[in-house]
Amino acid sequence: MLIVFDVSNIYYLPQFLPVIRAFWGRKHRISLVCHRNNISSKYDAELDSVGVQSIWVADDKESLTLFNQLKPHWIFFANEYKYVAQLPVNTRTVQLGHGIGPKPSYYHKSSTPMTVRFMEGGLRLKKIKELYPEGEFIQVGYSKLDPIINGKEVGVSLSEKGLDVNKKTILYAPTFNPSSLECFPDNWPELFSEYNILIKPHTFTYTIEQYDGQRKKLERWNRCSNVYVAGELELSLVPFMKAADILLSEASSSLFEFAALDKPVIVCDFFKLKWSYRGLFHYRFVKRFGKDSVLYKGLGLHVKRFKELLKAVPQQLANPGQYSKSRHCFTRDHVGPMDGNASLRIVRWVEIHSE
């Protein structure tokens, strides 16, 4: 059976990898279809390291031509695919979302129906069934976290990154828009010198020209002895989550992911909006991020300005169980079963429905 994973953006890869590995040894042919219009050649080695064939296409249109030539049994997509109706008649499709953040696009990507969409938490499953009652939605959990839960992820080595293994470790995982990154002062690592700081930016911070200001901030922070900034080729947040004791973020699905590990998160309710989301255009921000936007009510402690982190971080590290009950509720609703077998459930469902 030929199974293809459509890697139209490089940051989809960490979501696919546990599923690809779950297919290994089951007598299937696995291929990646990678899109050159979105993925620089600097990532070629990273894709080759997956251990399966990588086939390159120029864009979505060329991928359709390829799919009609290959006639795969299954294609995994991380997002919507506008040519789904033009795929070979016997090719079945999977939608496996690349994140569990708050954007309405999480639900809207199912407006173009696929054979099946694998879902994470129970609340999300209920809502999407209400939106698309004719669709096939199967709850499996969140495959991205499988390696941590089942013990296969060893995590970032703090000593190899030049950090102190005896210190508590802060993980800062800002998204690219809206981002709190520009709101953190240049000297913030010095204010948290008693901690290790791991910084994992969104891939777009490195790849999109307009975020040069964010990259300059990262360069300054990376000079501090207690800081390690993930490089552009370090795609997955998972090894960093494994090594960290607390997470700081603002609008990233990493908040749900880290909380699912029953570790404390701090939600930064301060961030920089691009000009097209400000003032008279604020309605665009609300439309894109929904009514709850980046609030994540109850998930963890919220801070409204950077200075509040000076007290919030040590307080949460000293009381890691404060929001534990709430985290378990969010995990049930948004992340789903935490047994490390989400990928295996996906594989088994695909195999059963291929007979």
Side-chain angles (χ1 to χ4, degrees):
M1 187 162 65
L2 175 59
I3 302 166
V4 169
F5 288 79
D6 185 68
V7 189
S8 56
N9 275 293
I10 192 63
Y11 60 89
Y12 295 165
L13 190 60
Q15 191 73 38
F16 286 154
L17 275 176
V19 182
I20 292 171
R21 289 166 180 158
F23 273 117
W24 286 351
R26 302 176 78 93
K27 299 181 180 179
H28 305 304
R29 291 176 293 144
I30 310 294
S31 294
L32 308 180
V33 170
C34 310
H35 295 229
R36 187 58 83 189
N37 61 322
N38 291 330
I39 302 175
S40 165
S41 59
K42 69 181 69 175
Y43 294 107
D44 288 7
E46 192 72 23
L47 288 159
D48 289 343
S49 70
V50 175
V52 301
Q53 179 188 33
S54 293
I55 306 172
W56 287 91
V57 295
D59 50 27
D60 274 1
K61 189 65 176 176
E62 189 170 301
S63 73
L64 176 63
T65 301
L66 176 65
F67 293 146
N68 277 285
Q69 292 171 352
L70 295 177
K71 295 180 171 56
H73 295 85
W74 291 90
I75 305 173
F76 278 71
F77 295 97
N79 213 323
E80 60 187 347
Y81 184 70
K82 63 182 178 181
Y83 301 115
V84 69
Q86 300 175 45
L87 292 170
V89 65
N90 292 321
T91 292
R92 282 166 277 193
T93 53
V94 170
Q95 192 171 95
L96 184 65
H98 66 279
I100 44 175
K103 298 177 185 177
S105 60
Y106 171 89
Y107 297 100
H108 296 165
K109 67 180 65 172
S110 284
S111 58
T112 302
M114 296 193 181
T115 305
V116 63
R117 177 173 178 178
F118 292 115
M119 301 294 297
E120 303 84 17
L123 184 66
R124 291 184 179 236
L125 178 67
K126 180 177 181 292
K127 182 173 180 178
I128 205 160
K129 282 184 173 181
E130 293 170 353
L131 292 171
Y132 306 102
E134 303 302 317
E136 181 75 50
F137 302 103
I138 303 297
Q139 184 182 10
V140 295
Y142 194 50
S143 61
K144 183 178 176 181
L145 294 179
D146 280 353
I148 292 183
I149 302 164
N150 59 34
K152 295 179 180 178
E153 175 58 63
V154 298
V156 169
S157 171
L158 298 176
S159 58
E160 289 180 6
K161 303 303 184 185
L163 302 176
D164 188 341
V165 296
N166 296 309
K167 289 182 176 181
K168 292 287 188 179
T169 299
I170 298 168
L171 172 58
Y172 177 44
T175 191
F176 65 100
N177 178 53
S179 182
S180 60
L181 197 153
E182 291 96 337
C183 301
F184 274 60
D186 290 349
N187 69 334
W188 86 272
E190 299 169 20
L191 301 175
F192 291 86
S193 58
E194 68 268 40
Y195 305 104
N196 297 316
I197 300 175
L198 297 171
I199 302 177
K200 177 64 177 74
H202 192 284
T203 301
F204 281 171
T205 292
Y206 284 119
T207 60
I208 296 181
E209 184 177 354
Q210 72 188 67
Y211 297 121
D212 182 60
Q214 293 186 5
R215 293 190 289 275
K216 288 178 179 176
K217 283 265 191 185
L218 295 175
E219 289 172 7
R220 284 193 284 268
W221 295 338
N222 206 27
R223 298 187 195 114
C224 299
S225 60
N226 63 324
V227 173
Y228 178 78
V229 177
E232 185 176 352
L233 300 182
E234 294 178 279
L235 298 173
S236 179
L237 182 66
V238 173
F240 295 87
M241 291 195 291
K242 171 76 172 181
D245 298 294
I246 190 169
L247 172 76
L248 316 179
S249 191
E250 68 297 280
S252 170
S253 66
S254 63
L255 287 163
F256 290 117
E257 297 167 11
F258 198 81
L261 304 176
D262 201 21
K263 299 184 191 181
V265 302
I266 296 180
V267 186
C268 300
D269 287 340
F270 55 93
F271 41 83
K272 179 181 179 181
L273 294 178
K274 61 183 182 180
W275 68 266
S276 56
Y277 283 167
R278 300 178 203 160
L280 294 174
F281 302 112
H282 187 70
Y283 73 92
R284 294 175 177 170
F285 173 76
V286 175
K287 182 178 180 180
R288 178 166 170 76
F289 290 91
K291 293 180 180 179
D292 291 333
S293 63
V294 292
L295 298 180
Y296 302 93
K297 291 179 180 178
L299 182 60
L301 184 66
H302 289 245
V303 297
K304 296 187 178 300
R305 55 190 63 84
F306 170 80
K307 288 184 178 180
E308 293 178 22
L309 288 172
L310 298 173
K311 290 184 178 179
V313 169
Q315 188 271 333
Q316 285 298 293
L317 284 172
N319 301 278
Q322 182 179 356
Y323 291 91
S324 184
K325 184 176 180 180
S326 180
R327 290 195 293 265
H328 285 296
C329 292
F330 270 86
T331 298
R332 178 197 63 212
D333 291 344
H334 300 282
V335 183
M338 289 289 291
D339 58 2
N341 292 319
S343 302
L344 187 57
R345 281 189 283 273
I346 290 170
V347 168
R348 287 173 174 168
W349 194 96
V350 167
E351 289 180 336
I352 290 170
H353 291 81
S354 300
E355 298 173 354

